[in-house]
Amino acid sequence: HTGIDHYLERTPSRFHVLSDGESPSVAEGFLWVFPEGDKRVSEIRIGPAGLRLLTGMYRAVAALAAMGNDLIIDDVVFDLRVLQEAANTLHTFNVLFVGVRCPFEVAAQREQERGDRFQGLVKAHYDLVHSHGVYDLDVDTSTLTAIECANQIKHRLQHGPAPDALRRLHDSLGSWKK
């Protein structure tokens, strides 16, 4: 099991820049935008080093998969460039691309109750994360328990058709070149 949090947690603090969105307006890693002194993040902008980090994450995952390892990748894809990189890197592997969803109100309440993330991430990313609409399977965590979601995923892997969402995304998004 790996994912975006494992990589972000291991970056130096200078990789994450807090800003009002104007000064500065970009960062090498990740620019966390808090408009007008608000305590809630309204946007995360991914700079060139941030994109390289996420590209490296997908390539590391691909290397592990190529060696026969089964993996669970926990990711929140809110940037088209990152989605393109994931599709370009992983579309030839047997990847079940699962959309983990719940209504906005439920996600916002969970964010507030967790207290271990910047407030506002749900609002900033909710519409972006699933905007591509292409998955092999969707699960709704507001109506299913974690075990029920896992069982749906397991059932789909064991009895469903071969996953093809990342191949379809790769074909529809085209090859992304730097």
Side-chain angles (χ1 to χ4, degrees):
H1 172 247
T2 191
I4 192 169
D5 287 345
H6 296 135
Y7 288 80
L8 293 179
E9 290 169 356
R10 288 160 179 80
T11 59
S13 59
R14 70 179 182 280
F15 207 74
H16 301 272
V17 177
L18 307 183
S19 169
D20 61 4
E22 294 179 24
S23 179
S25 63
V26 296
E28 278 297 305
F30 295 88
L31 185 77
W32 299 75
V33 178
F34 295 83
E36 302 174 20
D38 194 345
K39 294 184 184 199
R40 302 174 71 81
V41 67
S42 66
E43 179 184 7
I44 301 173
R45 298 178 191 165
I46 302 173
L51 188 57
R52 282 194 309 272
L53 174 74
L54 298 175
T55 298
M57 177 182 77
Y58 293 120
R59 291 182 184 177
V61 164
L64 289 166
M67 295 306 299
N69 294 291
D70 294 328
L71 302 155
I72 297 172
I73 308 159
D74 182 3
D75 199 359
V76 179
V77 181
F78 60 89
D79 183 296
L80 180 60
R81 299 169 303 162
V82 175
L83 180 63
Q84 288 171 318
E85 192 58 53
N88 286 344
T89 304
L90 301 173
H91 76 278
T92 60
F93 293 95
N94 186 33
V95 176
L96 183 69
F97 195 41
V98 180
V100 180
R101 301 176 186 256
C102 66
F104 173 80
E105 296 75 18
V106 173
Q109 180 181 350
R110 289 176 180 170
E111 175 186 66
Q112 187 173 8
E113 290 171 356
R114 282 179 69 174
D116 65 346
R117 299 279 199 278
F118 284 123
Q119 295 294 301
L121 286 172
V122 168
K123 185 176 180 183
H125 295 123
Y126 189 82
D127 291 331
L128 298 173
V129 170
H130 301 291
S131 63
H132 59 83
V134 179
Y135 292 106
D136 293 304
L137 175 69
D138 282 289
V139 295
D140 184 338
T141 63
S142 70
T143 60
L144 300 172
T145 66
I147 293 296
E148 290 169 329
C149 290
N151 284 332
Q152 278 195 1
I153 294 166
K154 179 181 176 183
H155 184 268
R156 173 64 170 73
L157 284 168
Q158 292 176 338
H159 305 290
D164 69 347
L166 286 181
R167 181 194 51 76
R168 288 184 284 133
L169 279 166
H170 175 264
D171 293 348
S172 69
L173 296 171
S175 293
W176 176 68
K177 297 188 184 342
K178 295 178 192 170

